Amino acid sequence: MRPSRGSTLGLRRHTRLLLLIGLLVLLSACAGSSSTAGSGQGSGQLVISWAEFYRDLGSLKRASALAVEGTIVAIDSQTVEDDIPFTDFRLRVSRLLYNPRHLLQGDGQGSELIIHQTGGLLNGEQVSVQDDPLFQIGEGTILFLRPFRPGHYLVVGGPSGRFRLHNGLVTPITDEGIRLNWPLTEEEFKAALDRA
């Protein structure tokens, strides 16, 4: 069932409020003591509480509209809304893992999706969410997604819906998320997802 426009706007306002509170706490705590990134810009982290966070693969799967394996290939855009930075990343799909709503056609291979993530440049400072670092170009990943707006997706459950994929092994982005015997091979992960 697709959320109504009103419920989507309510969720976005609630998320923005949590992020704004986290940003204000961060900025007041770091005033005058920002660290320097390699680019010469400051770096800060937002500390937020996730409205959705999953500890088992079955719950994550049921909450998702799509699960894909792919590579982050580019930054599509960066925006700031209500003093909260956002970055849209372009993900090239290499494998479709779960697609109950048929959001992608065929095997999805080669499709490109825009992934909307909290964090980015704010007043010349790179800001990211503490337990959900910004994607990096070339990063291999498995993501559980839901549509945000046409052609754009959000990761379900923040860091609990995001997994690293490196040298054929899958690991979670956070130690507090999905409980499995990590690392798993891609095929072991796919089998666990199919069983969930």
Side-chain angles (χ1 to χ4, degrees), residues 52-64 146 156-158 160-161 174 176-179:
E52 298 175 319
F53 196 82
Y54 299 92
R55 297 195 191 284
D56 68 272
L57 207 48
S59 298
L60 176 61
K61 179 180 176 180
R62 287 186 295 278
S64 302
R146 76 165 51 107
V156 175
S160 63
T174 178
E176 298 177 8
I178 304 300
R179 309 273 192 226

Side-chain angles (χ1 to χ4, degrees):
M1 182 180 211
R2 190 173 184 174
S4 69
R5 180 168 167 75
S7 67
T8 301
L9 289 174
L11 178 62
R12 288 179 68 190
R13 285 189 189 114
H14 176 71
T15 302
R16 283 189 182 144
L17 179 60
L18 284 174
L19 291 171
L20 185 56
I21 290 168
L23 182 61
L24 293 173
V25 169
L26 167 79
L27 292 176
S28 64
C30 295
S33 64
S34 66
S35 61
T36 305
S39 65
Q41 296 173 336
S43 178
Q45 290 191 331
L46 296 172
V47 178
I48 64 171
S49 295
W50 295 99
E52 298 175 319
F53 196 82
Y54 299 92
R55 297 195 191 284
D56 68 272
L57 207 48
S59 298
L60 176 61
K61 179 180 176 180
R62 287 186 295 278
S64 302
L66 186 65
V68 297
E69 181 180 305
T71 303
I72 302 296
V73 294
I75 293 176
D76 197 66
S77 65
Q78 293 184 312
T79 57
V80 176
E81 299 175 29
D82 299 326
D83 292 325
I84 300 168
F86 297 94
T87 304
D88 286 348
F89 292 91
R90 189 169 294 274
L91 173 84
R92 183 168 298 132
V93 176
S94 57
R95 185 176 184 187
L96 187 57
L97 300 174
Y98 180 66
N99 188 23
R101 296 187 194 169
H102 307 287
L103 295 173
L104 295 182
Q105 301 302 312
D107 65 3
Q109 191 170 2
S111 300
E112 290 194 353
L113 308 176
I114 303 299
I115 310 300
H116 188 71
Q117 187 180 22
T118 302
L121 285 177
L122 180 65
N123 300 324
E125 182 177 10
Q126 189 73 22
V127 176
S128 64
V129 176
Q130 183 178 28
D131 55 355
D132 191 27
L134 287 171
F135 290 110
Q136 300 297 309
I137 306 304
E139 177 180 343
T141 188
I142 291 175
L143 300 176
F144 287 77
L145 304 168
R146 76 165 51 107
F148 170 62
R149 61 179 182 248
H152 292 69
Y153 294 83
L154 294 173
V155 177
V156 175
S160 63
R162 176 181 171 188
F163 302 84
R164 287 186 185 97
L165 179 59
H166 184 69
N167 292 333
L169 295 177
V170 180
T171 55
I173 198 81
T174 178
D175 293 335
E176 298 177 8
I178 304 300
R179 309 273 192 226
L180 289 173
N181 191 20
W182 304 109
L184 298 176
T185 67
E186 292 175 67
E187 293 312 314
E188 288 170 335
F189 185 85
K190 177 69 167 94
L193 179 61
D194 289 344
R195 288 191 306 268

